[in-house]
């Protein structure tokens, strides 16, 4: 069977097509991401602007994905459909649909949350339009469950490796910071999360204070590598508190105040900030592994690409799975897999900005 996946939860428009015969072996036929650089100049994502960009990018990406999946076959017909609230996109989609044969796709998976509701709706309404015209079933997918599945596609052809339960998953991105206990696929429990800023958000905000471009995570890492630990210390927020929650907004403020002092070097600040974040993440993850007697650690989300964090997590006495290069940030391939393996989830087909695992 072939699965189409659509992801528009934040500022990346992503479409993927994958194929499987038995649910064990998979093949990536197409995996496309269009990042909205438009937000870089502002250092954050504006939902209205992001929505407009998704509506502009989604059809060209869909066409390209069908071509790559060899499912683009010319045939004139007079089918019509509608992308709700998107008249321009509807017009262009109809033109496209009327020029091709129904593609051989058995399932549509689409991210319905968590994320920005305004942008989620673009993907959902697009999926609904395709469902309507070609009668292909749709599965709503939780974006965070997607990040968990991003560890599997190591190559174009890949297998779902056996992993031992219980699993602890550390999901860290620009929008989320969570520790999740996974007792079996589909059985998730969020055991801790951030009380304020997400860890990626903190990286981005501190990067701005250091005049570094957006996204700030990789920039801070690069700068941090050039130096040794400074002779000042930033706090390690919540590290002494006996739970699995995080807080990064105080750390961000601590950086702001420290930078007002004389002779604070930017590279030293980058290094100390990264060290503080990594120390807290590793400490809480280690504690969760111990408490729940976890056999496997899965890390996902944009911040999981951080080299220092990867190095420290690999020192833990547990099997660690990280996403392959390119799949730590948002993509639709992970949505295809999460949707395929959780087809029975009972979530409604509507945007849910706060959908909890
Ligand atoms: O998962 P993602 O692409 O989008 C969200 O769902 O938010 O994550 C993006 C976040 C950004 O905040 C970015 O600064 C951070 O991931 N990031 C990193 C690194 N690469 C990306 N943070 C720290 N170190 C990195 N190497
Ligand atoms: Zn994400």
């Amino acid at each position: 069977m072939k699965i189409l996946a659509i992801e528009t939860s934040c500022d990346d428009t992503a479409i993927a097509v994958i194929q499987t015969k038995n649910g064990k072996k998979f093949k990536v036929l197409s995996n496309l991401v269009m990042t909205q650089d438009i937000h870089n100049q502002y250092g954050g994502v504006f939902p209205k602007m992001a929505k407009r960009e998704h509506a502009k990018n989604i059809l060209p990406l869909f066409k390209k994905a069908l071509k790559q999946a060899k499912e683009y076959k010319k045939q004139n017909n007079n089918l019509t459909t509608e992308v709700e609230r998107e008249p321009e996109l509807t017009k262009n989609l109809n033109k496209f649909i009327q020029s091709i044969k129904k593609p051989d796709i058995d399932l549509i998976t689409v991210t319905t949350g968590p994320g920005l509701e305004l942008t989620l709706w673009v993907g959902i309404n697009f999926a609904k339009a395709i469902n309507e015209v070609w009668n292909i079933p749709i599965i709503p997918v939780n974006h965070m469950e997607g990040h968990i599945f991003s560890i599997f596609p190591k190559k174009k052809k890949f297998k779902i490796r056996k992993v031992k339960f219980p699993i602890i998953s550390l999901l860290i991105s620009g929008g989320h910071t969570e520790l999740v206990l996974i007792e079996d696929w589909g059985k998730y429990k969020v055991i801790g999360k951030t009380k304020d800023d997400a860890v990626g958000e903190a990286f981005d905000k501190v990067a701005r204070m250091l005049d570094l471009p957006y996204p700030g995570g990789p920039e801070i890492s690069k700068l941090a590598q050039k130096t040794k630990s400074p002779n000042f210390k930033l706090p390690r927020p919540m590290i002494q508190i006996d739970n699995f929650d995080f807080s990064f907004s105080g750390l961000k403020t601590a950086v702001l105040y420290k930078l007002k002092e004389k002779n604070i070097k930017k590279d030293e600040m980058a290094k100390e900030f990264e060290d503080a974040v990594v120390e807290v993440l590793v400490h809480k993850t280690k504690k969760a592994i111990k408490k729940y007697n976890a056999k496997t650690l899965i890390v996902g989300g944009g911040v999981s690409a951080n080299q220092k964090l990867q190095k420290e997590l690999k020192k833990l006495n547990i099997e660690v799975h990280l996403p392959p290069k390119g799949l730590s940030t948002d993509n639709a391939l992970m949505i295809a897999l999460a949707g395929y393996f959780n087809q029975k989830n009972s979530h409604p087909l509507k945007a849910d900005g706060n959908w909890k695992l």
Side-chain angles (χ1 to χ4, degrees):
M1 77 183 287
K2 285 181 188 159
I3 306 151
L4 169 74
I6 300 169
E7 155 68 44
T8 61
S9 69
C10 190
D11 61 342
D12 295 310
T13 319
I15 302 233
V17 182
I18 64 170
Q19 183 173 26
T20 183
K21 270 201 188 109
N22 49 15
K24 289 192 179 85
K25 286 183 185 169
F26 288 82
K27 190 175 170 191
V28 182
L29 302 181
S30 179
N31 180 32
L32 302 169
V33 184
M34 213 152 160
T35 301
Q36 302 178 2
D37 296 328
I38 188 166
H39 306 287
N40 295 5
Q41 53 189 311
Y42 309 108
V45 179
F46 281 95
K48 267 194 182 159
M49 217 185 273
K51 173 190 186 289
R52 215 182 313 133
E53 292 296 304
H54 283 303
K56 213 159 59 188
N57 297 339
I58 200 163
L59 181 58
L61 270 192
F62 179 56
K63 276 186 199 173
K64 195 168 166 193
L66 288 185
K67 272 188 195 162
Q68 288 187 343
K70 307 232 165 10
E71 288 299 336
Y72 182 104
K73 289 165 197 145
K74 294 252 174 210
Q75 184 194 72
N76 288 331
N77 64 77
N78 49 19
L79 294 171
T80 58
T81 185
E82 192 199 343
V83 187
E84 265 174 74
R85 279 173 275 186
E86 297 290 348
E88 186 66 21
L89 180 55
T90 298
K91 206 173 76 194
N92 293 331
L93 178 61
N94 276 330
K95 221 189 286 170
F96 176 58
I97 278 171
Q98 286 164 5
S99 72
I100 65 161
K101 216 169 129 179
K102 178 187 171 185
D104 180 20
I105 289 187
D106 307 275
L107 190 66
I108 304 167
T109 59
V110 62
T111 307
T112 60
L116 305 168
E117 295 201 353
L118 215 53
T119 64
L120 286 163
W121 274 118
V122 180
I124 297 167
N125 286 335
F126 192 79
K128 279 165 85 176
I130 297 171
N131 152 274
E132 217 173 88
V133 73
W134 288 321
N135 202 15
I136 307 169
I138 314 179
I139 305 288
V141 180
N142 182 300
H143 181 84
M144 302 316 285
E145 188 175 12
H147 276 301
I148 293 168
F149 277 87
S150 70
I151 59 159
F152 290 113
K154 294 279 181 209
K155 291 183 190 156
K156 236 182 168 156
K157 285 185 180 171
F158 63 93
K159 279 186 195 161
I160 299 297
R161 280 162 279 148
K162 276 233 153 65
V163 281
K164 286 193 198 115
F165 295 95
I167 299 168
I168 287 291
S169 183
L170 174 68
L171 301 177
I172 38 181
S173 72
H176 298 275
T177 304
E178 297 182 357
L179 273 167
V180 184
L181 170 67
I182 309 172
E183 277 169 314
D184 201 346
W185 293 127
K187 276 181 79 181
Y188 307 105
K189 191 175 163 204
V190 178
I191 56 168
K193 58 183 185 327
T194 181
K195 297 201 163 296
D196 38 64
D197 290 357
V199 60
E201 193 181 350
F203 266 103
D204 295 335
K205 285 178 178 167
V206 168
R208 255 178 103 177
M209 295 178 202
L210 300 175
D211 297 314
L212 298 169
Y214 175 88
E219 300 290 333
I220 289 189
S221 270
K222 232 190 289 164
L223 201 57
Q225 276 163 24
K226 292 182 188 156
T227 188
K228 291 200 185 82
S229 290
N231 59 9
F232 64 84
K233 274 253 173 204
L234 290 170
R236 269 60 177 159
M238 312 262 303
I239 207 159
Q240 299 300 345
I241 297 174
D242 195 22
N243 61 21
F244 301 109
D245 289 335
F246 303 93
S247 162
F248 294 104
S249 124
L251 180 59
K252 177 189 71 188
T253 314
V255 172
L256 187 69
Y257 282 109
K258 200 81 209 163
L259 284 174
K260 288 190 174 143
E261 290 176 19
K262 268 190 197 151
N263 302 326
I264 300 290
K265 293 202 182 89
K266 281 187 187 174
D267 55 352
E268 290 186 355
M269 180 54 87
K271 165 97 174 119
E272 176 59 11
F273 172 76
E274 185 177 62
D275 283 357
V277 169
V278 169
E279 209 177 305
V280 173
L281 290 175
V282 173
H283 179 86
K284 296 256 166 167
T285 305
K286 197 172 161 182
K287 240 175 70 173
I289 290 167
K290 198 169 164 208
K291 172 159 182 191
Y292 294 98
N293 202 8
K295 302 285 185 289
T296 309
L297 172 65
I298 290 180
V299 195
V303 183
S304 71
N306 185 281
Q307 292 299 308
K308 162 99 186 167
L309 177 68
Q310 290 197 2
K311 200 174 126 199
E312 295 303 318
L313 288 174
K314 280 176 188 163
K315 287 184 193 162
L316 300 178
N317 189 20
I318 191 167
E319 197 175 302
V320 184
H321 293 270
L322 292 152
K325 226 174 168 226
L327 293 186
S328 60
T329 47
D330 291 349
N331 63 85
L333 178 50
M334 67 185 196
I335 300 303
L337 286 175
Y340 176 82
F341 283 103
N342 201 356
Q343 289 181 43
K344 291 195 180 74
N345 83 72
S346 55
H347 208 263
L349 190 63
K350 59 178 197 189
D352 180 355
N354 296 313
W355 182 5
K356 290 183 185 63
L357 263 180

